[in-house]
Amino acid sequence: MTESAHQDTPEQVEFREHCRTWLAANKPGEPGVRLPLSPLEIMTQEQLDYLQAWQKAAYDAGMIGCDYPVTVGGGSRSDCQRIANEEMKGARTPFLPNVIGLGMAAPTVFYHAQDELKERLLPRLFSGEDIWCQGFSEPGAGSDLASVQTFAERKGDKWLINGHKVWTSLAHFAEWMILLLRTDRSHKYDGLSYFVVPIRSALGNGVTVRPLIKMTGETGFNEVIFEDLEVDDSYRLDELGKGWQVAMTTLLHERGAGDLKTPSAGGMKSKTTHSTTTSSLIDLARNTMRNGRPALEDPLLRDQIMQLIIREAGLGINQRRARVAGLQDHPSRLLLQNKLLASEIAQDIGALALEIAGASASLYLGDSNAPAGGQWPLSYMNSYGMTIAAGTSEVQRNILGERVLGLAKSK
């Protein structure tokens, strides 16, 4: 029995047993396509079809959105999403594809949309039938979210939207977008408003989605252009000019520090799966020869690997500690630290893997001589996106300094 299981309430005991029974009978088999490292790198319709079918089945079994009210498609349970997440990861299921919808859009819509809109949008978001994307970043705004310039002009009870969003993961599959824009140019923060926008149905009629090719050769990112897109005022979340406050709900949940636990699955191992962990790093060092001996016998490399093992173990302990309120000195410190530390440890593991592989690190996907099928250079290049997404490492350190340590604001 896990540490968490020892602390379960009677409701959670019953729900955990339900999850285990269902997963034992319904865990998906080996996919017929190569799955990407994360939902943000889904490129093909075949990958999405496999993952959407899995999310729909998990939702129908009550394991997604289970802490939301029944009226919006949830299960009206109490702190059971954590149980479902633990059991799905323990069973090593595929990941859930609608990652932006579940982690960002769902809590934002739940806390800020009108009831009719919640009841209409959230069930299909939880089931994965509607994929969501996030319209925050812009070409001229960078990490300064309050400087977005996409503008909505009021026309009666409608809005005309014009602007340009970039780094929009999953927009090529998305039916809906959460959209931060400007409704007043005279106030930096109070001029922002927040909408949900149906983009799939507007393609070619006010919305253009173009793929952005990453240095990995993968897509997944896009730019989205709005040209006189007309949307109803009922798609606005919260009051006019409250976009900044609504965006804070999105970002808090994106960084894992929100009230609602994000549904999360993963851990499936297959012949195409690659894990960016120190365990995989040790395997690489054990199987890479240097001067006729395994690289693992190099004392300098062993020391570097050991340092990463210590950091990885520390992160794991912090993640366990974050589940127990009584062990935290600040409600957000460990949760906000998690994204910063996890993304940087993954990047450092990738960097050391390339050092161990040496010249072979230049061999990439599709090369039969590439160590781990070329997955190490792929994960290393992708790691830079993870240290930028949801706020760069520099932004995360500023937040921790100001909100957790109480340091003076930098500006």
Side-chain angles (χ1 to χ4, degrees), residues 253-371:
H253 284 83
E254 182 181 13
R255 293 163 181 161
D259 296 335
L260 289 163
K261 189 74 174 176
T262 297
S264 178
M268 171 178 269
K269 301 288 185 184
S270 72
K271 59 185 179 183
T272 61
T273 299
H274 173 76
S275 299
T276 307
T277 62
T278 53
S279 177
S280 299
L281 195 64
I282 292 171
D283 288 340
L284 176 67
R286 183 177 288 125
N287 295 313
T288 300
M289 302 301 290
R290 285 187 173 182
N291 301 318
R293 302 175 67 86
L296 192 61
E297 295 184 10
D298 182 328
L300 295 178
L301 282 179
R302 292 173 69 90
D303 182 62
Q304 289 177 279
I305 292 172
M306 198 62 227
Q307 293 301 317
L308 286 169
I309 291 173
I310 292 170
R311 290 169 62 192
E312 188 180 62
L315 176 65
I317 292 170
N318 268 354
Q319 290 171 337
R320 290 171 58 195
R321 183 179 165 193
R323 299 174 195 150
V324 184
L327 296 179
Q328 300 182 54
D329 59 347
H330 187 284
S332 300
R333 182 171 71 84
L334 293 178
L335 296 171
L336 289 171
Q337 276 183 196
N338 185 64
K339 187 268 178 185
L340 172 67
L341 298 178
S343 60
E344 293 194 345
I345 289 173
Q347 189 167 91
D348 291 344
I349 290 174
L352 185 55
L354 301 194
E355 182 180 336
I356 292 170
S360 297
S362 62
L363 305 178
Y364 198 43
L365 300 177
D367 191 320
S368 59
N369 295 313

Side-chain angles (χ1 to χ4, degrees), residues 1 25 47 68 104 130 160 174 237 240 248 266 270 274 309 316 325 373 398 410:
M1 183 178 288
Q47 292 173 332
Y68 286 80
M104 293 178 250
D130 286 348
L160 276 186
L237 303 191
L240 199 63
M248 291 304 103
S270 72
H274 173 76
I309 291 173
N398 270 346
S410 56

Side-chain angles (χ1 to χ4, degrees), residues 14-63:
E14 174 270 327
F15 183 64
R16 189 183 293 279
E17 185 58 32
H18 160 72
C19 293
R20 289 181 178 177
T21 302
W22 188 88
L23 287 166
N26 297 281
K27 177 187 170 184
E30 178 81 15
V33 295
R34 183 185 75 84
L35 294 182
L37 293 174
S38 79
L40 301 183
E41 279 89 39
I42 297 173
M43 293 188 295
T44 69
Q45 189 62 51
E46 289 76 16
Q47 292 173 332
L48 183 63
D49 289 345
Y50 173 84
L51 293 165
Q52 272 186 302
W54 151 238
Q55 182 168 330
K56 177 69 162 55
Y59 173 66
D60 290 343
M63 292 190 290

Side-chain angles (χ1 to χ4, degrees), residues 21 145 197 218 298-299 385:
T21 302
L145 189 59
V197 176
E218 297 173 310
D298 182 328

